[in-house]
């Protein structure tokens, strides 16, 4: 009596090994630039341009951070504060607006609702660089060019966030709960703030993280709108220093160290809000 081995076992193992190799290569491709950035930020300017990055000699991280914070009168600290203000406040308000709009698209009936939502979906496919010139002309007409508002106001409205808000409202807020709140005498605003918004918490955090990442990495709009260095976000400020580094090489270490410190808020936000973000991504997956 012979035992038959399952035929699909070997192809399954080969498929799993192939997937593992692809994942490993993807992780390596993603982490190598980060590793280089960490090592380069801890080295002196001379070591950056040599093959000495992997050694433990010339450890200059603290010196580089000190130089970063004192270069050009401490402009980096001002840029960091600007980015935090643009990104954190803008992402918080933008997430609230997006989720509220998505909730309205899902729970209310009004004329041309689906046509308007189709415009929202069409706006998702429009690159932000295409909108920079029209936004500049509007800001110029209203007299807010080269001000905080010229960069802050446009990032509050995100069509992709509205789309996500509708998906989250469909997955998290049952219509029966809203009907029960209305029967109890709650108004629409009270129902949204006290009932729906609590259910939409994971979705709100997810939209916030998407908004935070997009605003933090926003570059083209500030470059078009701003000429005052004290209003620059980190992305534009580091770009300016990197342009100057071709003439003044002493800017290279501060650009590298500044780039390393610039990614820390995003990492911190994703680590702290990871639990809400994961649950938000599975909205509506299980009924």
């Amino acid at each position: 009596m012979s035992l038959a081995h399952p035929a699909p076992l070997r192809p399954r193992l080969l498929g799993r090994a192939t997937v593992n190799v692809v994942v490993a290569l993807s992780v390596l491709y993603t982490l190598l630039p980060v590793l280089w950035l960490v090592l380069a930020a801890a080295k002196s300017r001379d070591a950056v341009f040599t093959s000495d990055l992997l050694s433990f000699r010339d450890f200059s991280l603290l010196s580089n951070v000190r130089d970063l914070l004192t270069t050009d009168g401490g402009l980096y600290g001002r840029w960091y504060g600007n980015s935090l203000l643009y990104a954190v406040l803008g992402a918080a308000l933008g997430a609230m607006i997006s989720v509220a709009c998505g909730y309205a698209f899902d729970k209310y009936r009004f004329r041309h609702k689906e046509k308007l939502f189709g415009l929202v979906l069409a706006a998702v496919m429009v690159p932000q660089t295409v909108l920079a010139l029209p936004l500049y002309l509007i800001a110029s007409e209203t007299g807010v060019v080269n001000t905080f508002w010229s960069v802050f106001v446009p990032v509050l409205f995100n069509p992709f966030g509205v789309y996500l808000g509708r998906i989250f409202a469909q997955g998290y807020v049952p219509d029966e709960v809203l009907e029960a709140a209305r029967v109890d005498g709650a108004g629409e605003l009270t129902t949204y703030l006290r009932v729906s918004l609590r259910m939409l918490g994971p979705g709100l955090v997810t939209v916030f993280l998407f908004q935070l990442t997009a605003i933090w990495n926003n570059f083209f709009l500030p470059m078009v709108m701003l000429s005052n260095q004290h209003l620059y976000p980190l992305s534009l400020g580091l770009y300016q220093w990197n342009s100057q580094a071709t003439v003044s090489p002493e800017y290279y270490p501060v650009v590298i160290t500044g780039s390393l410190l610039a990614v820390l808020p995003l990492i911190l936000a994703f680590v702290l809000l990871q639990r809400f973000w994961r649950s938000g991504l599975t909205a509506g997956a299980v009924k």
Side-chain angles (χ1 to χ4, degrees):
M1 183 176 179
S2 61
L3 297 177
H5 295 283
L9 182 59
R10 187 172 181 181
R12 186 181 303 174
L13 292 176
L14 289 176
R16 185 178 301 174
T18 303
V19 170
N20 290 336
V21 170
V22 172
V23 171
L25 290 176
S26 301
V27 171
L28 187 64
Y29 176 80
T30 304
L31 292 183
L32 274 179
V34 179
L35 178 62
W36 184 92
L37 185 64
V38 172
L39 294 175
K43 295 296 182 177
S44 63
R45 185 185 67 186
D46 295 334
V48 170
F49 295 101
T50 64
S51 57
D52 205 25
L53 281 181
L54 296 179
S55 71
F56 292 96
R57 300 192 302 270
D58 297 328
F59 185 81
S60 306
L61 179 60
L62 296 180
S63 175
N64 290 339
V65 172
R66 184 169 57 250
D67 293 340
L68 173 68
L69 298 178
T70 57
T71 299
D72 290 348
L75 266 180
Y76 183 81
R78 183 64 179 266
W79 295 340
Y80 214 99
N82 291 341
S83 288
L84 288 174
L85 184 60
Y86 293 138
V88 177
L89 184 58
L93 293 178
M96 294 291 293
I97 293 172
S98 297
V99 170
C101 291
Y103 174 86
F105 271 115
D106 181 53
K107 301 305 179 185
Y108 297 117
R109 295 181 180 178
F110 48 89
R111 294 184 60 185
H112 308 301
K113 181 178 79 169
E114 295 305 325
K115 293 180 180 178
L116 291 174
F117 191 69
L119 290 177
V120 172
L121 295 180
V124 172
M125 296 181 288
V126 177
Q128 294 299 313
T129 53
V130 175
L131 301 176
L133 181 58
L135 288 173
Y136 175 81
L137 295 176
I138 294 173
S140 179
E141 289 294 329
T142 55
V144 296
V145 172
N146 199 30
T147 65
F148 165 82
W149 303 107
S150 63
V151 176
F152 181 74
V153 173
V155 300
L156 297 179
F157 305 97
N158 183 7
F160 184 64
V162 176
Y163 167 75
L164 289 179
R166 185 173 186 178
I167 298 300
F168 292 134
Q170 291 175 347
Y172 279 116
V173 185
D175 293 335
E176 295 79 7
V177 175
L178 302 182
E179 291 297 330
R182 294 179 183 125
V183 169
D184 290 339
E188 295 299 327
L189 185 59
T190 302
T191 301
Y192 175 71
L193 293 177
R194 295 189 177 183
V195 179
S196 303
L197 197 57
R198 294 182 180 182
M199 296 179 179
L200 289 169
L204 192 65
V205 172
T206 303
V207 177
F208 171 81
L209 286 174
F210 277 110
Q211 289 273 79
L212 180 72
T213 305
I215 299 173
W216 188 267
N217 296 324
N218 192 14
F219 168 76
F220 195 70
L221 181 65
M223 184 179 67
V224 171
M225 292 290 188
L226 302 176
S227 59
N228 184 358
Q229 290 186 352
H230 291 86
L231 296 174
Y232 283 1
L234 277 175
S235 56
L236 185 56
L238 290 175
Y239 171 79
Q240 183 189 46
W241 275 358
N242 188 59
S243 301
Q244 295 178 6
T246 57
V247 179
S248 304
E250 64 270 12
Y251 279 100
Y252 277 117
V254 295
V255 169
I256 294 172
T257 309
S259 300
L260 177 63
L261 296 184
V263 303
L264 296 182
L266 294 181
I267 296 175
L268 184 63
F270 273 87
V271 169
L272 294 178
L273 302 175
Q274 185 179 29
R275 177 169 60 91
F276 300 99
W277 179 54
R278 284 180 174 178
S279 60
L281 289 179
T282 58
V286 179
K287 287 289 186 182

